């Protein structure tokens, strides 16, 4: 966020880092420390965007129009097993499903 946007979003008494409260920024920094770029992006998406935004919005939009959608498999055992797969297998070749 720019300084102008930050000053609008949060009063000056709140110190923000990357637009986040310091505790949340530190939590996410610890999450991605010592990870490769693509692995770090995946971890950040799983920790924030997927659950906090994507699943909620998909659920709301699909119910609004009576549409059945498939959600990704998010069983923690399954996800933890996938994290053990090497980056070469998970991400390469790039742009392939």
């Amino acid at each position: 966020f720019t300084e102008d946007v930050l000053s609008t979003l949060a009063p000056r008494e709140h110190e923000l880092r990357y637009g986040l409260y310091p505790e949340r920024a530190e939590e996410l920094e610890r999450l991605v420390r010592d990870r490769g770029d693509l692995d770090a992006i995946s971890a950040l998406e799983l920790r924030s965007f997927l659950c906090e935004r994507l699943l909620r919005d998909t659920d709301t939009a699909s119910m609004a129009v009576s549409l059945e959608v498939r959600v990704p498999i998010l069983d923690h055992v399954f996800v933890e097993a996938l994290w053990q797969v090497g980056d070469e297998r998970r991400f390469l070749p790039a742009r392939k499903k």
Side-chain angles (χ1 to χ4, degrees), residues 16-36:
L16 299 177
R17 292 174 44 204
Y18 313 115
L20 303 168
Y21 290 108
E23 300 81 18
R24 179 69 169 155
E26 289 170 16
E27 174 191 341
L28 295 177
E29 286 173 344
R30 281 192 303 276
L31 176 69
V32 299
R33 188 175 296 133
D34 301 324
R35 293 180 186 255

Side-chain angles (χ1 to χ4, degrees), residues 38-88:
L38 293 174
D39 191 34
I41 291 167
S42 290
L44 290 171
E45 286 181 340
L46 185 63
R47 181 61 64 90
S48 56
F49 178 68
L50 182 68
C51 295
E52 293 177 8
R53 189 61 181 240
L54 188 61
L55 293 178
R56 183 199 65 201
D57 289 356
T58 300
D59 186 51
T60 302
S62 66
M63 286 192 301
V65 295
S66 299
L67 178 68
E68 184 154 345
V69 297
R70 294 180 182 177
V71 296
I73 298 173
L74 294 176
D75 177 75
H76 73 93
V77 174
F78 181 72
V79 172
E80 289 166 5
L82 288 178
W83 282 114
Q84 302 306 312
V85 175
D87 287 356
E88 306 80 33

